[in-house]
Amino acid sequence: MLSNKHTNGPDSRKQARIPRLFSAMSNRNYRLYWVGAGFSSMSMSIGMIARGWLVLELTNDPFWVGLIAGLGGLAQVAFGLFGGVLVDRWDKRRVLLGVQALSGLVALVMAFIIFLGTLALWHLAVSAVLQGMLMAARLPAGNSMIYTMVGRKVILNALASQLLAFNLSRIFGSLLAGTAIDDFGVGYAYLFLAASSWLGGLLILFVNGDYRSEGSGETFWQSAAEGLKYAYRNQPIRALLMMSVLMELFGFSFHVMLPVMARDVLGVGATGLGYLSAAGAFGATVSTITVAGLGDFREKLNLLIYTALAAGIFILLFAFSPWFLLSLVFSAMVGAALMSYDAIMGALLQLLSTDGIRGRVLGLYGLTFGFTPLGGFIAGTIASLFTAPLAVGLGGVAILTYVVSVQRFLKRTVQKAIL
């Protein structure tokens, strides 16, 4: 009887949770990919902070901060489906390697332009467009590689663990970018961006396995059309993609407005901006560890709804916080809610897709990420006409209104499909 108590008691349950938390890490290829994704995510974090700060210094107008970000979003939206088609037709690993190499090259060219003292606003616009196009291929390539590595049962853990890498690297990347801008100059931030991109690609070189697509007799355009038809006819996938558009427009665009909130509302410099971004990454880190520990959690849809609602609430609170320390807390809570939502959304879309079309569905999902900078453009326009807190706060209100209105529909369509 004593041994049964020990087997079924709290200690044994704790031991069961620990391997479940790190279940994806038992895969060697995933471990290498995870570290590489961390460096890649660091480069994205540095790029967002550096570009937003540069635009604000050149123009002194939040409208341009939103517009330049919006151009990158347009490129990602325009290229999103085609990025998914590439992933379904080509070797996913090679696509990812090419994206990392080109992303680092764009950052290096920007660093040289800054050091030469010839930077103009159009340089930032072109770099934003190029990075948006590359992101449209990177997201489906990486996420579909993960599915190939770990399989259906571990996909939620693996995607949450990937976001854990993303957020840990965002903490360091945010602090590094803010410190580099204040102490050395923004050109050095772009050098760090290039190095992070190339390091991420270098680690992908050591990932083994077959990541070639199954292929088909379809032309490129036929493949793209088939992906659109599949997503449109599949009601659960269509509903989730629509929700993703909304969350990117009014939730994740919160990050685009951070430079404006830091400098013009809270009165802190680039270092303070780095702390705000790092606080969001810290909250996201804690939440993704929690999601990773859930394993093959059955109530994925309910958790998706609750985290989306939490994001709306904390964005609204952040918008009207007059104190820097309180804003740090709210930024952490926004990061926690958004990243939990993101991990669950990615897992649901993969579970609802078939193998032959998963890349195209993930390409459409990546396309919705382009609405983040487009949302930043909307917020920047509102901030320029009125105030930055109003612009950010309206995003929170939009999320709350939408999620409350569609939650029953989501439960009726998506929940049945994943059971």
Side-chain angles (χ1 to χ4, degrees):
M1 293 296 292
L2 184 62
S3 61
N4 285 340
K5 285 183 180 178
H6 284 292
T7 302
N8 299 318
D11 289 340
S12 65
R13 289 195 298 270
K14 198 177 293 183
Q15 289 171 0
R17 281 196 299 268
I18 292 172
R20 186 170 65 185
L21 177 61
F22 299 107
S23 54
M25 291 295 183
S26 63
N27 186 304
R28 171 198 172 272
N29 287 327
Y30 181 80
R31 290 196 301 272
L32 284 168
Y33 173 88
W34 188 87
V35 178
F39 281 110
S40 175
S41 300
M42 184 183 294
S43 72
M44 289 187 283
S45 176
I46 294 171
M48 182 175 289
I49 289 174
R51 185 169 61 237
W53 192 259
L54 268 177
V55 175
L56 202 56
E57 283 193 333
L58 285 172
T59 66
N60 204 36
D61 189 342
F63 169 80
W64 289 102
V65 176
L67 178 60
I68 298 298
L71 289 174
L74 276 174
Q76 190 170 341
V77 169
F79 197 66
L81 177 60
F82 303 115
V85 173
L86 289 178
V87 170
D88 275 341
R89 295 172 69 87
W90 293 358
D91 186 294
K92 301 169 181 62
R93 182 169 164 272
R94 290 183 180 179
V95 171
L96 196 55
L97 285 170
V99 166
Q100 294 296 125
L102 289 172
S103 180
L105 181 61
V106 171
L108 187 63
V109 170
M110 285 297 299
F112 281 137
I113 291 172
I114 293 167
F115 288 135
L116 289 172
T118 57
L119 180 72
L121 196 61
W122 71 267
H123 292 126
L124 292 166
V126 170
S127 71
V129 168
L130 291 173
Q131 294 288 10
M133 292 173 65
L134 292 170
M135 183 61 68
R138 191 214 177 282
L139 291 168
N143 286 344
S144 55
M145 272 184 70
I146 291 175
Y147 192 92
T148 303
M149 290 176 198
V150 303
R152 183 182 183 88
K153 289 289 186 182
V154 191
I155 187 63
L156 178 59
N157 176 270
L159 290 176
S161 297
Q162 178 185 225
L163 290 175
L164 173 60
F166 172 75
N167 292 304
L168 285 172
S169 63
R170 253 184 69 209
I171 294 173
F172 296 111
S174 299
L175 296 175
L176 181 63
T179 303
I181 292 170
D182 268 349
D183 294 348
F184 304 106
V186 73
Y188 287 93
Y190 274 96
L191 285 180
F192 289 133
L193 194 165
S196 297
S197 292
W198 288 334
L199 280 171
L202 181 64
L203 284 160
I204 300 300
L205 277 173
F206 297 97
V207 173
N208 300 324
D210 185 1
Y211 301 100
R212 290 173 297 181
S213 119
E214 295 179 1
S216 70
E218 296 175 328
T219 67
F220 185 93
W221 296 106
Q222 286 172 334
S223 294
E226 185 60 31
L228 283 172
K229 288 178 185 176
Y230 180 87
Y232 180 77
R233 291 170 181 169
N234 188 308
Q235 193 178 43
I237 289 178
R238 188 174 75 233
L240 290 176
L241 289 174
M242 289 297 297
M243 183 176 183
S244 183
V245 169
L246 183 282
M247 290 299 294
E248 298 296 332
L249 266 175
F250 299 109
F252 288 91
S253 60
F254 157 86
H255 298 293
V256 177
M257 293 304 295
L258 276 185
V260 181
M261 294 293 291
R263 195 193 74 166
D264 298 344
V265 178
L266 296 171
V268 295
T271 301
L273 167 61
Y275 277 111
L276 282 172
S277 182
F282 174 77
T285 300
V286 174
S287 70
T288 47
I289 289 173
T290 304
V291 173
L294 294 175
D296 192 21
F297 184 61
R298 287 182 59 85
E299 297 296 323
K300 295 180 183 71
L301 181 62
N302 283 331
L303 193 55
L304 183 83
I305 292 169
Y306 296 146
T307 52
L309 289 171
I313 291 169
F314 286 112
I315 286 172
L316 190 58
L317 292 173
F318 175 87
F320 297 102
S321 166
W323 301 294
F324 178 60
L325 289 178
L326 188 60
S327 296
L328 287 174
V329 173
F330 289 146
S331 180
M333 299 307 294
V334 171
L338 286 176
M339 282 301 120
S340 298
Y341 153 87
D342 207 22
I344 302 159
M345 175 65 80
L348 286 173
L349 286 171
Q350 297 222 45
L351 291 172
L352 290 167
S353 304
T354 60
D355 291 342
I357 207 159
R358 184 169 290 110
R360 277 163 284 183
V361 171
L362 292 175
L364 288 170
Y365 179 44
L367 180 155
T368 69
F369 288 16
F371 285 88
T372 291
L374 288 176
F377 169 63
I378 295 171
T381 302
I382 295 172
S384 184
L385 293 173
F386 301 101
T387 66
L390 178 65
V392 175
L394 285 175
V397 172
I399 290 172
L400 290 171
T401 303
Y402 178 83
V403 176
V404 168
S405 65
V406 302
Q407 59 177 325
R408 288 186 180 178
F409 173 75
L410 289 173
K411 288 178 180 178
R412 189 170 65 248
T413 57
V414 179
Q415 191 66 39
K416 292 180 181 177
I418 60 176
L419 289 177

